[in-house]
Amino acid sequence: MDTAPARKIRVVVVDDSALIRSVLTEIINTAGDMEVVATAADPLIARERIREHDPDVITLDVEMPRMDGIEFLRRLMRLRPTPVVMISSLTAQGSSVALEALSLGAVDVMPKPAFDLRNGLQGYAEDIRERLRGAARARVRPAAPRVTGSQPLPPPHRRLPPPSLIAIGASTGGTEAIRGVLEGLPAVGPPIVIVQHMPALFTRTFAARLDRLCPMQVKEAEDGEVLRPGWAYLAPGGATHMAMRTTLQGWCVVLQPTPPVNRHRPAVDVLFDAVAREAGRRCVAVLLTGMGKDGAQGMLHLRQAGAYTLAQDEATSVVYGMPREAVVLGAVDEELPLEMIAPRIRTLLVGGTR
């Protein structure tokens, strides 16, 4: 019996650079499961192309004539929510604008090379295609839910002492999910270590944004620094993994330039494995929205070491990939909506007993 071929992911490319439109079209159309159905040089043209072609995903530049990408995204998410992958220059200003786009509902960001655009984009063609595949499966929301802590929670599944460390991993959709969790936690609590899949300069900007918005102090982690209560440490993007080790002064950050794991560097699995070894049952671990399986195996090791493990549920995940993989492995104590994760952690901080 003949079966119909799978429907291709339909992409609209929006960028004022004819070269970038051409290169992205070539990258996308060489994949067997996706195709560019239209391109546009500015948002006003894009508006007509989107109406005409009803795409699954849109790639969107930030700086464009007649209307900038941020304003177009704001209108798009209000009137016709569609998964968007932002393209932003690897500059401090570009990173800041990209993070604003994520807060407005963009699914992901990818860097635009500063030089040699054709070869630069071709150099991470498969990464671009993977981001588009993830975006095509995303649940689009204008913003992550604000954490209120008002919903009732059942008792935690296991008795355990108050944790001394919180470990968080996330990928696609994770910037707003991480913000949502951190905003609901106390200003003074155990150190928090975080891996979010992002390009290098983006993590520095993201840490600064979290530091402005969240009760605790947040910074990009540095090799060798001792973890302190009341602080959250975000793994630097790009060149290193983040792990930790025990010293006479306490737990300290280890940044190591070893090969990518699960195609990522930093990888959630590397952090979670280190936390399992060094902290074990003194940790609460959280796996948030993201494409792929990074973090699932590490979360299993954490649970086996006695840590209490939480995963974001399917209904509130932008991409229910990483949490699902952890659930399938039996690595998760509780699967919770995003808005209930911070309240659960707060109950665990005061003892977590029935």
Side-chain angles (χ1 to χ4, degrees):
M1 179 178 177
D2 293 337
T3 58
R7 179 180 178 274
K8 290 186 178 183
I9 298 168
R10 299 160 55 81
V11 185
V12 167
V13 173
V14 186
D15 198 295
D16 64 331
S17 164
L19 174 60
I20 289 181
R21 294 197 304 272
S22 172
V23 174
L24 286 177
T25 298
E26 181 181 335
I27 288 170
I28 292 165
N29 285 346
T30 54
D33 59 341
M34 61 183 70
E35 62 180 340
V36 173
V37 294
T39 65
D42 66 53
L44 298 188
I45 298 172
R47 185 173 57 191
E48 300 306 314
R49 299 291 182 268
I50 291 165
R51 284 199 192 112
E52 180 181 355
H53 295 281
D54 191 23
D56 302 302
V57 186
I58 299 165
T59 73
L60 183 61
D61 189 13
V62 174
E63 297 180 359
M64 289 181 291
R66 299 209 284 178
M67 183 188 299
D68 66 69
I70 293 296
E71 179 57 30
F72 179 67
L73 177 66
R74 184 179 287 110
R75 298 184 186 190
L76 180 73
M77 296 306 293
R78 186 175 68 248
L79 300 174
R80 192 190 184 102
T82 306
V84 171
V85 175
M86 297 297 296
I87 301 175
S88 179
S89 300
L90 280 175
T91 65
Q93 181 178 357
S95 300
S96 178
V97 172
L99 287 171
E100 182 182 356
L102 291 171
S103 73
L104 290 171
V107 172
D108 207 346
V109 297
M110 62 186 187
K112 181 188 292 185
F115 305 101
D116 193 4
L117 290 173
R118 174 173 290 278
N119 289 330
L121 285 170
Q122 288 287 0
Y124 50 83
E126 187 53 38
D127 183 46
I128 292 171
R129 290 190 282 261
E130 281 300 305
R131 289 170 186 260
L132 293 175
R133 290 181 185 112
R137 295 198 289 268
R139 295 176 177 82
V140 179
R141 298 179 183 84
R146 295 283 171 174
V147 175
T148 64
S150 60
Q151 296 188 47
L153 274 169
H157 292 183
R158 292 189 283 123
R159 294 176 179 269
L160 73 169
S164 303
L165 183 70
I166 300 168
I168 300 173
S171 186
T172 311
T175 55
E176 289 304 288
I178 289 169
R179 175 196 59 76
V181 172
L182 294 189
E183 282 186 336
L185 297 180
V188 179
I192 303 169
V193 286
I194 306 166
V195 166
Q196 161 71 46
H197 298 155
M198 297 183 86
L201 192 56
F202 286 29
T203 51
R204 189 177 315 142
T205 307
F206 181 42
R209 178 172 179 262
L210 290 174
D211 188 57
R212 292 192 302 271
L213 296 175
C214 301
M216 71 291 295
Q217 298 180 86
V218 184
K219 69 185 298 292
E220 191 178 56
E222 299 176 57
D223 189 47
E225 68 180 319
V226 176
L227 302 181
R228 293 178 287 168
W231 284 79
Y233 302 86
L234 180 69
T240 60
H241 292 292
M242 185 166 77
M244 55 180 276
R245 61 187 174 88
T246 304
T247 69
L248 292 175
Q249 291 75 38
W251 290 314
C252 95
V253 172
V254 176
L255 299 181
Q256 48 198 33
T258 46
V261 173
N262 302 318
R263 300 182 60 224
H264 296 290
R265 190 170 59 191
V268 181
D269 269 336
V270 173
L271 175 64
F272 280 6
D273 281 346
V275 172
R277 289 191 305 268
E278 303 295 330
R281 68 191 302 266
R282 292 179 288 168
C283 172
V284 171
V286 182
L287 195 55
L288 299 172
T289 174
M291 182 178 177
K293 64 178 183 179
D294 188 30
Q297 195 68 48
M299 180 163 270
L300 178 62
H301 297 158
L302 277 161
R303 192 174 190 213
Q304 290 169 342
Y308 200 87
T309 56
L310 303 170
Q312 186 175 353
D313 72 357
E314 182 174 8
T316 62
S317 291
V318 173
V319 178
Y320 184 61
M322 288 158 50
R324 178 188 59 226
E325 293 295 329
V327 170
V328 169
L329 282 180
V332 177
D333 280 303
E334 287 188 89
E335 191 177 11
L336 295 170
L338 177 61
E339 62 271 19
M340 296 179 71
I341 290 176
R344 167 57 78 220
I345 295 173
R346 294 183 77 110
T347 66
L348 297 171
L349 292 177
V350 296
T353 58
R354 291 184 182 271

